């Protein structure tokens, strides 16, 4: 590789030969508010996203978080209307829920093929194209007259919405230093998990007042409006120092255009599309991904997929009441969970660095992973309440759902922050892997949750699912103790080491 041709911060290439006389190695490192060297070290250029004004950074973080919220929101608005949709198409509620299942499958698979393009062409084109595709197909679903038409639109809706959801972690890493990422990663993950919780709050009343079709085209129009806003307000965050001499800083207009020269040139390689699969051999990625997908599936999707039928048959809820039940407890639990997650992981990381001569150990963040135990606690509470409606009020079920989602939010933020600390140059692949695991695992729940509960009873079925979460937490706790040692093993080296211009 030409040494005068700098690489993008996230571009994966062979390890560079050490050059101790490099002028950059003689610079005094810039320090964070704690007096420790910033990680990564920013360049001296104003168009480096790490050097952007905090207000601009925050606006971008909020935009990508909002986009992450819209995908699950659009997919789940129709959940409280499953009973109405089933009557309209003369089929069962379980069969109707398969439209959500299909969305989840393609929202998990699609980004594996699409998101690698964000490394080569930038984050912005993928965000815009994905959101536009999701908006158009969501609107189209509302006007479909056949069940087959709805299923087809959900395939493409999953491809677009999943691609948008899967890139937020990479953008947060583009914008923020390691000591800041926990807070802003938390904002992103809170929106990522809460989108599906806002949806029933809206969907129940929309379906009851305007019909189930409005549950598709109203979110679609919201996504379309967001697309227009993103065209002017969402700049590119993938950064390279450029190839021209002398260096020319990029303006904001260039950052929102498709002529920006800070993005790597050339066509993507086949390796770019298989790299996420190669990273599955890395224990700091694989073990947290398995725990995360299980907590997400049983800490929120389980309630969404079974709530319409269980709350209607057990408590006699109407469609709006079901929407409230599937929304408010989860929203409150997620918010409380995040208040105990993002800033806490930053504090844990900074405390470790201050005590160890500036060393920022990713495993320090895992001290917060104990919050994952709230997921099985909440699942068990809901299962017991649903099994004894004559003595347990529906408030108990709501309380269990809130506790489970509190644990899910703590788990999500901690795992995203930990994994991107371990392998920051591979943040695109990490986000894609987590998204694929979460979506594919969640879609399978609709096939066995209710049949399993009918066979052995809700209480024991939910207890079994809770125990699965507890068992899968153990390997991640082992990472907290042995992770730093495991990451030094030859088998745990990333597929290709990134050459970072920092």
């Amino acid at each position: 590789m030409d040494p005068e041709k700098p690489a993008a911060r996230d571009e994966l290439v062979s390890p560079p030969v050490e050059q101790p006389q490099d002028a950059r190695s003689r610079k005094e490192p810039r320090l964070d508010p704690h007096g420790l060297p910033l990680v990564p070290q920013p360049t001296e250029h104003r168009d480096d996203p790490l050097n952007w004004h905090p207000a601009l950074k925050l606006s971008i973080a909020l935009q990508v978080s909002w986009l992450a919220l819209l995908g699950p929101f659009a997919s789940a608005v129709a959940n409280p209307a499953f009973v109405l949709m089933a009557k309209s198409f003369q089929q069962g509620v379980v069969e109707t829920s398969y439209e959500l299942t299909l969305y989840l499958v393609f929202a998990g698979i699609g980004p594996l093929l699409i998101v690698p393009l964000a490394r080569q062409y930038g984050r912005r084109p993928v965000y815009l194209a994905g959101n536009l595709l999701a908006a158009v197909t969501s609107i189209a679903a509302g006007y479909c007259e056949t069940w087959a038409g709805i299923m087809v639109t959900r395939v493409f809706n999953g491809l677009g919405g999943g691609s948008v959801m899967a890139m937020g972690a990479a953008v947060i890493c583009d914008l923020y230093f390691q000591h800041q990422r926990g807070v802003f990663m938390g904002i992103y993950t809170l929106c990522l998990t809460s989108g599906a919780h806002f949806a029933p709050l809206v969907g129940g009343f929309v379906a009851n007042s305007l019909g189930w079709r409005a549950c598709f085209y109203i979110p679609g129009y919201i996504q379309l409006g967001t697309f227009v806003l993103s065209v002017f307000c969402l700049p590119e965050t993938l950064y390279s120092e450029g190839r021209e001499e002398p260096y020319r800083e990029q303006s904001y207009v260039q950052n929102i255009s498709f002529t920006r020269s800070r993005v790597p040139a050339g066509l993507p390689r086949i390796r770019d599309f298989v790299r996420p699969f190669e990273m599955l051999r890395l224990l700091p990625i694989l073990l947290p991904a398995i725990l995360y997908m299980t907590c997400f599936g049983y800490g929120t999707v389980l309630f969404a997929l079974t709530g319409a039928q269980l709350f209607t048959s057990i408590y006699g809820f109407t469609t709006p009441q079901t929407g409230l039940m599937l929304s408010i407890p989860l929203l409150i639990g997620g918010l409380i969970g995040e208040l105990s997650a993002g800033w806490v992981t930053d504090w844990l990381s900074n405390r470790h660095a201050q005590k160890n001569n500036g060393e920022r150990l990713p495993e320090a963040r895992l001290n917060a992973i104990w919050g994952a135990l709230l997921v099985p606690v909440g699942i068990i509470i809901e299962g017991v309440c649903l099994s004894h409606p004559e003595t347990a009020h529906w408030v108990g079920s709501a309380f269990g759902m809130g506790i489970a989602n509190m644990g899910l939010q703590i788990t999500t933020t901690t795992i995203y922050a930990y994994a991107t600390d371990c392998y920051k140059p591979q943040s695109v692949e990490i986000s894609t892997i987590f998204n694929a695991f979460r979506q594919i695992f969640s879609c399978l729940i609709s096939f066995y949750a209710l049949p399993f509960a009918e066979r052995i009873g809700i209480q024991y079925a939910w207890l079994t699912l809770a125990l699965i979460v507890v068992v899968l937490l153990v390997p991640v706790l082992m990472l907290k103790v042995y992770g730093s040692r495991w990451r030094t093993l030859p088998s745990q080296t990333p597929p290709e080491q990134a050459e970072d211009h920092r």
Side-chain angles (χ1 to χ4, degrees), residues 162-294:
S163 299
V164 170
M165 290 187 291
M167 289 199 303
V171 174
I172 297 300
C173 289
D174 291 340
L175 294 171
Y176 291 102
F177 301 101
Q178 190 169 333
H179 73 280
Q180 302 170 317
R181 286 183 202 152
V183 170
F184 296 98
M185 197 72 76
I187 295 174
Y188 160 69
T189 59
L190 178 63
C191 290
L192 182 65
T193 57
S194 297
H197 306 152
F198 277 111
L201 183 63
V202 176
F205 291 99
V206 167
N208 193 58
S209 302
L210 302 176
W212 63 264
R213 293 184 182 276
C215 294
F216 290 108
Y217 58 71
I218 287 179
Y221 285 123
I222 295 175
Q223 289 174 311
L224 193 60
T226 301
F227 167 78
V228 175
L229 181 67
S230 299
V231 169
F232 301 100
C233 301
L234 185 62
E236 180 58 61
T237 61
L238 181 60
Y239 177 79
S240 171
E241 287 188 68
R243 299 168 176 81
E244 71 276 2
E245 290 292 344
Y247 184 90
R248 298 177 183 177
E249 291 182 349
Q250 302 291 297
S251 66
Y252 182 82
V253 173
Q254 289 173 306
N255 282 336
I256 63 171
S257 70
F258 295 99
T259 60
R260 187 171 184 263
S261 63
R262 295 290 175 260
V263 175
L267 297 174
R269 301 167 298 172
I270 295 178
R271 184 72 178 275
D272 295 329
F273 296 95
V274 300
R275 189 176 291 111
F277 302 99
E278 296 180 44
M279 293 189 65
L280 292 179
R281 62 179 171 79
L282 305 178
L283 294 179
I285 303 299
L286 179 62
L287 298 180
I290 293 174
L291 176 64
Y292 170 53
M293 75 176 187
T294 311

Side-chain angles (χ1 to χ4, degrees), residues 31-66:
L31 306 179
D32 65 16
H34 305 284
L36 304 173
L38 288 171
V39 180
Q41 284 289 306
T43 67
E44 297 178 351
H45 305 302
R46 291 180 298 177
D47 60 346
D48 183 345
L50 290 174
N51 292 329
W52 287 352
H53 192 279
L56 177 58
K57 289 186 180 185
L58 179 60
S59 72
I60 297 171
L62 293 178
Q63 284 182 77
V64 299
S65 298
W66 170 250

Side-chain angles (χ1 to χ4, degrees), residues 238-484:
L238 181 60
Y239 177 79
S240 171
E241 287 188 68
R243 299 168 176 81
E244 71 276 2
E245 290 292 344
Y247 184 90
R248 298 177 183 177
E249 291 182 349
Q250 302 291 297
S251 66
Y252 182 82
V253 173
Q254 289 173 306
N255 282 336
I256 63 171
S257 70
F258 295 99
T259 60
R260 187 171 184 263
S261 63
R262 295 290 175 260
V263 175
L267 297 174
R269 301 167 298 172
I270 295 178
R271 184 72 178 275
D272 295 329
F273 296 95
V274 300
R275 189 176 291 111
F277 302 99
E278 296 180 44
M279 293 189 65
L280 292 179
R281 62 179 171 79
L282 305 178
L283 294 179
I285 303 299
L286 179 62
L287 298 180
I290 293 174
L291 176 64
Y292 170 53
M293 75 176 187
T294 311
C295 288
F296 190 89
Y298 297 150
T300 179
V301 176
L302 174 68
F303 309 136
L305 291 175
T306 63
Q309 181 165 332
L310 294 178
F311 297 146
T312 300
S313 61
I314 295 176
Y315 299 122
F317 281 3
T318 64
T319 299
Q321 288 174 326
T322 300
L324 291 172
M325 186 70 167
L326 292 175
S327 178
I328 293 178
L330 298 172
L331 286 173
I332 294 175
L335 180 59
I336 295 175
E338 186 50 48
L339 292 175
S340 308
W343 72 270
V344 174
T345 67
D346 279 346
W347 177 77
L348 291 169
S349 176
N350 292 331
R351 185 183 67 168
H352 182 276
Q354 290 171 330
K355 291 182 177 180
N356 293 273
N357 299 318
E359 178 194 13
R360 293 197 173 274
L361 187 68
E363 284 72 22
R365 295 189 188 269
L366 289 181
N367 287 302
I369 201 63
W370 289 102
L373 288 173
L374 293 173
V375 176
V377 170
I379 295 171
I380 293 172
I381 291 174
E382 199 218 22
V384 171
C385 291
L386 290 175
S387 299
H388 303 87
E390 65 283 352
T391 56
H393 197 270
W394 61 262
V395 173
S397 295
F399 190 68
M401 292 166 60
I403 290 178
N405 200 61
M406 187 190 310
L408 168 62
Q409 188 58 46
I410 295 173
T411 303
T412 303
T413 299
T414 302
I415 282 177
Y416 267 87
Y418 166 70
T420 52
D421 274 8
C422 288
Y423 305 106
K424 186 268 168 189
Q426 291 83 17
S427 57
V428 170
E429 284 78 12
I430 291 170
S431 196
T432 304
I433 289 171
F434 286 177
N435 176 73
F437 273 53
R438 176 185 69 237
Q439 301 296 109
I440 295 173
F441 180 80
S442 296
C443 79
L444 300 175
I445 296 174
S446 63
F447 294 105
Y448 64 82
L450 286 175
F452 187 38
E454 291 173 359
R455 173 168 294 188
I456 68 172
I458 297 175
Q459 176 175 312
Y460 296 107
W462 269 220
L463 175 61
T464 302
L465 303 182
L467 291 177
I468 292 174
V469 176
V470 174
V471 170
L472 295 178
L473 174 61
V474 174
V476 178
L477 292 175
M478 293 177 66
L479 275 177
K480 186 173 77 73
V481 180
Y482 302 108
S484 59

